């Protein structure tokens, strides 16, 4: 966003491969402002709708095929609750579902459909963003060990710290929420849009990443542990896939992954301005959902200073 | 003299009728779980606004290792209320005992809400393992709050194992069904008149909490009904008010239901009754 607006931007990355350690690479990358509002403040929906428009302008990879929300017959109460707490949906009949996502129609009699929502595959999306950044003159400073960017950058007008959980030392309120996921490949099941399976204890989702691959995610554990996926979580994730379609039993497991989401106590992001050092953090499970809005907000702040409007109340001045 | 609002009146009443577990007294009879809230900030507001003084925290062993869940626990500790760690999700005695030991170290408390679960579908207590784990933990110096059924035989074994509190279910965890076996719960109350009894699970609506308290139960523990409400803070307050109402009704003495109408004002001799 900054590079596009003509600013000179240097991006510091410590991983040997760009963003290898970034939580974003392991994200579900659903741009689902309505669905996320089920368990988030109203501001997430408002900002998410703005993000949808912003992403559409820069990422042709964004698929706007909607989201389907389903529940097993015994969990229909969960579907009713989800419907009551969210907007932007229509209730599908079995015939509608069959027309929209034929492979699901054998398993579910009805579904909620959030037509306006979109999704991305994080890999291609990140590659596109990197290419766009470079095309606008953005520079990378790679493989720099840094604990706070002050160590490595001294000549910029602003330092923007977007290190997620790695900035915990500077942001004591920040905590980690562990997420685990599995990648699978199926030759038998075709889904064109993210499917959320509601369950009283383990609500999970399946996101199509193209060519028969799917990401099944993601656990939400109040833990900053970075270790491998536990067997318990693996069972939950794989059971969710199996519950959505029994033919997923024949899918290949391509790999498990885990990451730590950075979150503040209210699970909302913040832009913390400490002089010319700006922390952008706490995106929780809404990295792709909110990132472009935060970027736009930061770019506006850099250009307008304190006069900038702050519709989502994310900017905190700590000077 | 300033006029007291409803919350002040509840506080005064609660102080006159405290709830006591293992020698520690509390004014509030609402215990809250800490899972599934939209955010820790909303959880904190729900606890504060409801006046809840005891919260239960689930400890997953993978979070306990290397204190990986520290960020969340710090927010819990900030509330300044009593933390009752639990062994949710444990299926065996060994798991439950290990989790309890880890919880004692992390939360610096000997209190433990003991759950040994029979199966993942109903989350029904596995009462044989529960008794065994309760005995083991009591011997290790824990103060055990066992999540159990209304079975009197199991309850007796738990007391014999060292428990001084019993936490029978109202209905399966998270089901919101309320009190599935009122006759059984009444019998349990009558059978153990001096043991603190807490309805631990299955409460979905404040009216169900009122009912539990009217039966003479000492407290109610709930999580999902508050955490998954559209407005958890207001729902927590609604439960606090309901629990207070139910307790007041119990201590005041409920009337016995009658088969016949019984006018509260004598009718005979009322002049011009028909004209009023």
């Amino acid at each position: 966003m900054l590079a596009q607006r003509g600013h000179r931007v240097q991006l510091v990355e410590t991983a040997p491969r760009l963003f290898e350690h970034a939580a974003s690479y392991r994200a579900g990358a659903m741009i689902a402002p309505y669905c996320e509002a089920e368990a988030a403040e109203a501001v997430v929906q408002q900002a998410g709708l703005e993000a949808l428009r912003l992403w559409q302008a820069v990422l042709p990879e964004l698929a706007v095929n909607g989201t389907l929300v389903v529940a097993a017959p015994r969990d229909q109460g969960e579907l009713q609750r989800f419907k009551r707490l969210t907007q932007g949906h229509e209730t599908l009949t079995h015939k509608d579902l069959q027309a929209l996502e034929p492979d699901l129609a054998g398993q579910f009699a009805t579904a909620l459909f959030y037509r306006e929502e979109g999704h991305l595959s994080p890999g291609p999306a990140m590659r596109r963003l990197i290419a766009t950044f470079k095309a606008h003159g953005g520079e990378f400073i790679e493989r720099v060990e840094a604990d706070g960017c002050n160590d490595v950058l001294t000549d910029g007008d602003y330092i923007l710290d977007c290190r997620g959980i790695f900035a915990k030392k500077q942001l004591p309120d920040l905590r980690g929420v562990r997420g685990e996921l599995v990648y699978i490949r199926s030759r038998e099941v075709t889904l064109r849009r993210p499917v959320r399976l509601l369950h009283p204890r383990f609500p999970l989702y399946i996101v199509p990443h193209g060519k028969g691959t799917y990401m099944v995610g993601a656990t939400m554990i109040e833990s900053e542990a970075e270790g491998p996926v536990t067997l318990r979580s693996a069972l939950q994730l794989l059971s969710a896939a199996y519950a959505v379609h029994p033919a997923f039993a024949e899918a290949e497991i391509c790999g498990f992954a885990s990451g730590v989401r950075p979150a503040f106590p209210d699970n909302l992001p913040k832009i913390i301005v400490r002089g010319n050092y700006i922390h952008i953090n706490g995106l929780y499970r809404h990295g792709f959902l909110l990132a472009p809005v935060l970027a736009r907000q930061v770019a506006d702040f850099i250009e307008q200073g304190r006069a900038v409007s702050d519709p989502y109340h994310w900017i905190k001045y700590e000077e | 003299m300033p006029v007291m609002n409803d919350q002040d009146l509840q506080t005064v009443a609660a102080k006159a009728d405290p709830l006591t577990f293992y020698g520690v007294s509390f004014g509030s009879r609402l215990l809250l779980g800490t899972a599934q809230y939209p955010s820790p900030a909303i959880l904190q507001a729900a606890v504060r606004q409801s006046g809840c003084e005891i919260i239960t925290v689930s400890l997953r062993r993978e979070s306990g290792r290397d204190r990986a869940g520290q960020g969340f626990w710090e927010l819990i500790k900030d509330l300044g209320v009593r933390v009752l760690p639990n062994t949710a999700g444990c299926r065996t005695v060994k798991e439950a005992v290990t989790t309890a030991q880890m919880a004692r170290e992390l939360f610096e408390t000997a209190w433990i809400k003991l759950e040994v679960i029979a199966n993942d579908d109903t989350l029904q207590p596995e009462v044989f393992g529960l008794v065994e784990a309760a005995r083991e933990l009591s011997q290790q110096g824990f103060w055990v709050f066992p999540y159990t059924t209304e079975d009197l035989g199991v309850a007796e074994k738990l007391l014999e194992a060292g428990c001084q509190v019993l936490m029978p279910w109202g209905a399966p965890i998270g089901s919101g069904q309320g009190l599935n076996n009122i006759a059984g719960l009444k019998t349990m109350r009558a059978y153990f008149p001096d043991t603190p009894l807490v309805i631990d699970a299955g409460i979905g609506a404040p009216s169900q909490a009122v009912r539990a308290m009217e039966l003479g139960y000492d407290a109610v523990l709930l999580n999902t009904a508050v955490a998954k409400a559209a407005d958890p803070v207001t729902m927590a307050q609604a439960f606090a008010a309901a629990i207070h109402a139910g307790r007041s009704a119990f201590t005041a003495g409920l009337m016995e239901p009658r088969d016949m109408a019984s006018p509260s004002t004598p009718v005979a001799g009322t002049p011009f009754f028909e004209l009023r």
Side-chain angles (χ1 to χ4, degrees):
Chain A
M1 178 81 67
L2 285 163
Q4 265 182 331
R5 289 197 192 179
H7 297 280
R8 185 182 161 225
V9 186
Q10 292 180 315
L11 204 154
V12 181
E13 168 62 22
T14 57
R17 283 171 50 207
L18 279 177
F19 305 121
E20 188 178 32
H21 301 311
S24 322
Y25 247 120
R26 293 177 284 284
M30 291 175 291
I31 314 301
Y34 293 114
C35 285
E36 285 302 313
E38 178 256 337
E41 308 268 348
V43 71
V44 170
Q45 178 176 309
Q46 295 157 20
L49 288 169
E50 184 190 339
L52 201 54
R53 293 191 295 275
L54 291 169
W55 278 136
Q56 278 172 315
V58 293
L59 281 180
E61 289 82 358
L62 178 72
V64 183
N65 294 341
T67 305
L68 282 169
V69 179
V70 296
R74 60 183 284 182
D75 295 329
Q76 287 303 300
E78 296 294 317
L79 199 65
Q80 289 308 315
R81 177 183 174 277
F82 202 91
K83 183 178 175 180
R84 181 165 45 84
L85 295 180
T86 56
Q87 301 172 339
H89 51 68
E90 48 204 279
T91 305
L92 298 188
T93 62
H94 187 247
K95 202 174 154 193
D96 298 333
L97 183 58
Q98 196 149 31
L100 201 65
E101 205 70 90
D103 279 359
L104 276 189
Q107 313 305 314
F108 301 97
T110 183
L112 296 175
F113 183 45
Y114 296 77
R115 186 181 293 276
E116 294 168 50
E117 296 188 339
H119 72 281
L120 291 159
S121 292
M126 301 281 272
R127 283 193 287 279
R128 167 78 65 175
L129 289 172
I130 290 167
T132 309
F133 174 65
K134 284 180 175 166
H136 286 88
E139 303 163 48
F140 282 96
I141 301 178
E142 294 176 36
R143 302 181 203 184
V144 178
E145 289 300 325
D147 182 19
C149 302
N150 274 329
D151 319 0
V152 292
L153 278 181
T154 51
D155 62 342
D157 295 323
Y158 288 96
I159 295 166
L160 309 179
D161 185 333
C162 315
R163 290 178 298 140
I165 196 65
F166 298 102
K168 191 174 157 73
K169 237 188 239 176
Q170 287 83 15
L171 300 170
D173 272 1
L174 202 65
R175 74 183 200 287
V177 181
R178 178 175 159 87
E180 298 152 300
L181 53 104
V182 58
Y183 298 103
I184 57 176
R185 186 186 301 117
S186 170
R187 291 178 176 83
E188 297 179 42
V189 186
T190 305
L191 300 175
R192 294 182 53 241
R193 51 188 55 78
V195 177
R196 292 178 182 236
L197 176 69
L198 302 182
H199 183 279
R201 275 173 274 158
F202 318 119
L204 293 165
Y205 51 78
I206 300 180
V207 188
H209 279 181
K211 296 180 185 165
T213 60
Y214 298 90
M215 186 269 230
V216 186
T219 57
M220 300 271 289
I221 301 171
E222 289 287 349
S223 167
E224 285 163 23
E226 290 183 45
V229 175
T230 61
L231 193 143
R232 184 207 307 263
S233 297
L235 284 172
Q236 287 171 9
L237 294 163
L238 297 173
S239 303
Y242 184 65
V244 166
H245 202 299
F248 273 129
E250 302 300 321
E252 298 156 9
I253 296 176
C254 306
F256 288 96
S258 64
V260 178
R261 309 173 182 93
F264 289 110
D266 57 5
N267 289 346
L268 292 172
K270 286 183 180 48
I271 296 166
I272 298 171
V273 180
R274 295 175 178 167
N276 70 340
Y277 194 106
I278 301 174
H279 284 279
I280 304 153
N281 216 319
L283 275 77
Y284 181 51
R285 55 181 276 154
H286 302 135
F288 275 96
L289 180 62
L290 300 180
V293 183
L294 282 153
R296 197 258 314 138
Q297 187 93 46
V298 170
D300 288 350
F301 169 77
I302 284 172
E303 289 162 9
Q304 299 166 29
R306 280 183 178 242
V308 73
S309 86
D310 181 17
Y312 307 119
H313 307 290
W314 288 339
I315 304 182
K316 311 283 170 211
Y317 297 97
E318 294 184 0
E319 288 153 278
Chain B
M1 189 177 156
V3 178
M4 287 196 278
N5 62 27
D6 285 355
Q7 201 159 6
D8 295 335
L9 288 169
Q10 283 185 27
T11 309
V12 171
K15 278 183 182 157
D17 175 28
L19 169 72
T20 304
F21 294 137
Y22 293 107
V24 185
S25 294
F26 301 90
S28 169
R29 291 170 181 271
L30 166 66
L31 286 72
L32 284 175
T34 54
Q36 305 184 77
Y37 282 81
S39 71
I42 291 174
L43 158 66
Q44 287 177 318
V47 172
R48 288 193 176 119
Q49 299 293 320
S50 65
C52 166
E53 294 172 281
I54 304 173
I55 52 175
T56 179
V57 181
S58 168
L59 179 68
R60 288 177 66 126
R61 290 183 300 289
E62 61 264 39
S63 307
R65 262 174 239 124
D66 305 321
R67 296 180 176 258
Q70 195 75 23
F72 181 66
W73 301 329
E74 288 303 326
L75 294 169
I76 294 285
K77 285 179 184 171
D78 280 353
L79 282 165
V81 297
R82 185 86 189 200
V83 174
L84 173 60
N86 69 54
T87 63
C90 290
R91 298 279 300 270
T92 65
V93 173
K94 190 179 172 194
E95 276 182 294
V97 169
T98 307
T99 306
Q101 289 166 338
M102 206 176 253
R104 175 159 66 180
E105 193 180 318
L106 286 168
F107 293 104
E108 296 162 350
T109 176
W111 283 22
I112 188 77
K113 176 172 172 276
L114 180 63
E115 290 184 29
V116 183
I117 298 302
N119 67 67
D120 284 340
D121 198 39
T122 64
L123 299 178
Q124 181 156 357
E126 198 282 88
V127 295
F128 303 98
L130 181 71
V131 172
E132 194 183 331
R135 181 171 291 115
E136 171 70 27
L137 289 169
S138 296
Q139 282 168 2
Q140 292 186 22
F142 283 92
W143 300 112
V144 179
F145 295 66
Y147 165 59
T148 183
T149 67
E150 64 275 30
D151 187 290
L152 301 182
V154 173
E156 282 192 321
K157 293 279 183 202
L158 287 166
L159 296 179
E160 191 186 293
C163 300
Q164 294 173 31
V165 179
L166 296 171
M167 302 182 96
W169 62 352
I173 292 173
S175 68
Q177 291 172 14
L179 308 179
N180 273 355
N181 180 3
I182 288 181
L185 291 169
K186 269 186 182 174
T187 306
M188 190 175 202
R189 179 68 283 180
Y191 203 78
F192 301 105
D194 301 321
T195 304
L197 298 180
V198 182
I199 293 291
D200 183 353
I203 298 291
S207 54
Q208 297 161 352
V210 174
R211 186 77 176 111
M213 298 306 290
E214 286 174 353
L215 292 179
Y217 275 75
D218 294 279
V220 170
L221 191 159
L222 52 105
N223 188 168
T224 309
V226 169
K228 300 286 252 184
D231 177 352
V233 179
T234 304
M235 188 60 85
Q237 289 174 304
F239 270 104
I243 287 166
H244 175 69
R247 178 66 184 178
S248 301
F250 174 72
T251 53
L254 288 156
M255 68 172 278
E256 294 303 322
R258 298 186 181 107
D259 289 339
M260 299 291 290
S262 171
S264 48
T265 310
V267 179
T270 306
F272 312 115
F273 181 73
E274 297 292 331
L275 300 176
R276 290 171 69 189

